[in-house]
Amino acid sequence: MANAEKWVLTVTAQTPTNIAVIKYWGKGDEDLILPINDSISVTLDPDHLCTTTSVAVSPAFTHDRMWLNGKEVSLSGGRFQNCLREVRSCANDVEDEKEGVLKSLKGLGDLHVHMCPTIDFPTAAGLASSAAGLACLVFSLAKLMNVKEDHSRLSAIARQGSGSACRSLYGGFVNGSFLKEENGSDSIAVQLADEKHWDDLVIIIAVVSSRQKETSSTSGMRETVETSMLLQHRAKEVVPERIIQMEEAIKNRDFPAFARLTCADSNQFHAVCLDTLPPIFYMNDTSHRIISCVEKWNCSEGTPQVAYTFDAGPKCRINFTQTEKLLPNFFKGCSFHFPPNSDTDLNSYVIGDQTILQDAGIKDLKDIEALSTPPETKENLSAQKYRGDVSYFICTKPGRGPAVVNDESRSLINPEFGLPK
Ligand SMILES: Nc1ncnc2c1ncn2[C@@H]1O[C@H](COP(=O)(O)OP(=O)(O)OP(=O)(O)O)[C@@H](O)[C@H]1O
Ligand SMILES: C[C@@](O)(CCOP(=O)(O)OP(=O)(O)O)CC(=O)O
């Protein structure tokens, strides 16, 4: 092979995950992944939770290959193929000034790609890894192939990998909009506000211990579409109005309205899961106890200070606005009811932004054991402790969208051979 044909071009990118505050649940078209209703999400700070993907293209590669977390996986799935085909169709040539070579990528001809996605957060947390993962794959491939189209086009491609992935193309607050045109060309994500818009919003993820095997979102929502009448009512009558109200709440940084809508939508999502035949149970006893704690807290404060939301599993995302400086007390309440097992150290009990520990005056595990009963529980809730039921908390905030990683030492692909390092 001539030297000019030996080149390997690589790109590494990082993409955040997101949490839906108005849920997407149900597809109108399974192949194109067209959601039956709009959804709204908050993108999480990639410094705390993100996926990193390195991709490479070279005339030397013989076929498309992917190594997920270092292990080679099959690319036969329609979702990966659809994303690859769509990104390829937007490819442009790359002029490498340093090497003086024109890397002919347009249409990609016989060129193949190698992809190395990794998830940078504990997979045991079961946090929408497909959302960040598929968005990162599409974003990094688009950068590799010198795609000129904007993020809205990339969001429509990522949606064909996973419905929730379209929202991870943007930072801040994002609407993942549903099908209006028959071919789904208008089913794209739109940024409502960037991450700086509401920078005192705190997000705490309670990773609930669970041994239960969960129904995947893909098969769960298919069964709901086939069997739940409540879902039709939700998609047609409830969500459109809620989307308008949620956009207004975000625009005005109106936390009580944001909290009311977030909790109501999470509850309705789990209600449609229960309305599915056979019913799907994503929450467990710990999830229900967290809801109870949040409701008691909000009731004792007189106005919603905390919002909860649960996706397709028992772990909880708690949203909190710091304006009232109530966060440390709320966190003390959480640690009182859900203290860690004795073999856990503080650094693995709270990850992400650990300043919450200092603010709550917690320096070591003894401080958690010494916490007194939270005032809002004294009246009518038992002061019972559920040790180990929350494995750990992740404390984070709204964050930015995808970004290219320029530091070559962080690439997951060997630049000479285009194989995983
Ligand atoms: N970083 C990634 N890059 C590429 N594909 C990924 C990545 N992470 C996950 N996936 C793909 O998404 C699939 C679903 O992953 P996982 O079950 O962890 O996602 P999830 O979003 O938590 O679940 P669900 O889709 O049920 O909500 C995996 O089987 C894998 O094919
Ligand atoms: C409950 C949810 O998290 C469902 C996410 O579903 P996925 O995007 O994982 O499903 P597929 O489109 O089949 O890949 C709600 C949401 O994120 O909007």
Side-chain angles (χ1 to χ4, degrees):
M1 185 183 292
N3 243 0
E5 287 182 352
K6 272 193 175 165
W7 55 264
V8 177
L9 194 65
T10 68
V11 164
T12 299
Q14 272 191 336
T15 303
T17 186
N18 69 75
I19 49 167
V21 287
I22 302 290
K23 308 289 185 199
Y24 141 57
W25 195 253
K27 299 178 186 73
D29 183 312
E30 286 268 343
D31 294 331
L32 289 171
I33 310 193
L34 295 174
I36 59 166
N37 59 257
D38 277 20
S39 56
I40 293 183
S41 63
V42 183
T43 299
L44 305 187
D45 189 342
D47 289 344
H48 302 140
L49 294 165
C50 72
T51 59
T52 306
T53 299
S54 293
V55 288
V57 60
S58 169
F61 298 165
T62 53
H63 56 291
D64 295 332
R65 297 175 77 182
M66 179 157 89
W67 293 262
L68 180 55
N69 286 328
K71 201 169 157 250
E72 186 154 14
V73 291
S74 159
L75 277 173
S76 58
R79 291 175 172 211
F80 290 127
Q81 292 301 335
N82 290 348
C83 289
L84 262 172
R85 188 195 58 243
E86 295 286 308
V87 181
R88 278 190 160 120
S89 71
C90 306
N92 289 293
D93 295 344
V94 177
E95 182 92 59
D96 192 324
E97 285 166 17
K98 209 163 63 185
E99 292 177 31
V101 190
L102 177 77
K103 293 167 178 173
S104 177
L105 299 181
K106 204 163 173 63
L108 275 184
D110 294 330
L111 298 191
H112 295 284
V113 289
H114 285 180
M115 300 167 278
C116 290
T118 54
I119 302 163
D120 297 353
F121 48 89
T123 41
L127 292 160
S129 48
S130 65
L134 270 300
C136 201
L137 205 59
V138 168
F139 179 78
S140 51
L141 285 170
K143 292 291 165 195
L144 179 76
M145 296 181 193
N146 197 14
V147 169
K148 303 271 199 297
E149 275 80 355
D150 62 13
H151 277 201
S152 70
R153 173 83 182 103
L154 299 188
S155 77
I157 299 176
R159 192 207 68 236
Q160 297 182 48
S162 181
S164 51
C166 72
R167 301 182 311 235
S168 273
L169 261 303
Y170 293 98
F173 301 82
V174 186
N175 180 326
S177 97
F178 79 114
L179 149 94
K180 291 174 197 88
E181 294 291 328
E182 192 72 7
N183 64 0
S185 56
D186 59 348
S187 188
I188 55 166
V190 177
Q191 188 183 51
L192 302 172
D194 71 13
E195 62 280 11
K196 291 181 218 83
H197 169 71
W198 202 345
D199 59 3
D200 66 350
L201 195 71
V202 173
I203 297 143
I204 303 171
I205 300 163
V207 181
V208 171
S209 317
S210 162
R211 257 163 261 111
Q212 191 188 324
K213 194 181 175 309
E214 289 163 22
T215 311
S216 82
S217 303
T218 306
S219 59
M221 68 176 81
R222 186 182 305 130
E223 286 162 18
T224 308
V225 168
E226 283 165 6
T227 61
S228 167
M229 273 159 63
L230 183 55
L231 182 73
Q232 305 308 325
H233 171 71
R234 165 177 165 75
K236 286 197 185 74
E237 309 295 334
V238 182
V239 175
E241 184 65 18
R242 255 182 208 165
I243 290 282
I244 297 168
Q245 293 169 350
M246 183 57 101
E247 289 191 356
E248 201 59 17
I250 290 170
K251 190 170 123 213
N252 300 326
R253 291 187 287 265
D254 175 354
F255 191 79
F258 176 87
R260 265 192 293 271
L261 291 162
T262 300
C263 299
D265 203 70
S266 173
N267 292 337
Q268 190 177 70
F269 156 53
H270 290 279
V272 300
C273 291
L274 204 58
D275 192 46
T276 302
L277 211 68
I280 308 168
F281 307 99
Y282 282 125
M283 293 195 282
N284 64 14
D285 287 351
T286 311
S287 324
H288 294 142
R289 282 186 195 114
I290 294 174
I291 293 182
S292 177
C293 279
V294 171
E295 294 289 356
K296 295 264 157 29
W297 172 274
N298 283 341
C299 194
S300 73
E301 292 299 323
T303 166
Q305 304 284 347
V306 190
Y308 54 82
T309 186
F310 292 81
D311 279 348
K315 58 258 155 204
C316 173
R317 282 79 157 161
I318 299 167
N319 293 294
F320 200 99
T321 180
Q322 281 213 94
T323 38
E324 309 277 338
K325 300 279 177 232
L326 290 170
L327 177 61
N329 282 340
F330 175 74
F331 185 71
K332 280 199 258 184
C334 290
S335 345
F336 174 86
H337 288 296
F338 304 104
N341 283 323
S342 51
D343 57 353
T344 311
D345 67 86
L346 201 54
N347 281 328
S348 45
Y349 179 59
V350 177
I351 61 175
D353 181 359
Q354 294 181 318
T355 54
I356 194 167
L357 287 169
Q358 286 125 48
D359 295 347
I362 299 172
K363 289 189 209 67
D364 63 40
L365 292 183
K366 286 202 271 316
D367 297 325
I368 295 180
E369 298 307 322
L371 287 169
S372 49
T373 313
E376 72 282 359
T377 37
K378 279 187 185 142
E379 286 164 24
N380 48 7
L381 186 80
S382 86
Q384 210 172 330
K385 296 192 179 210
Y386 301 96
R387 187 172 301 282
D389 283 3
V390 171
S391 310
Y392 55 96
F393 293 95
I394 306 170
C395 194
T396 186
K397 57 182 191 326
R400 62 182 184 277
V404 169
V405 177
N406 290 316
D407 177 357
E408 278 180 21
S409 68
R410 289 172 64 199
S411 171
L412 305 161
I413 289 187
N414 176 316
E416 206 180 338
F417 307 109
L419 289 167
K421 275 183 179 168

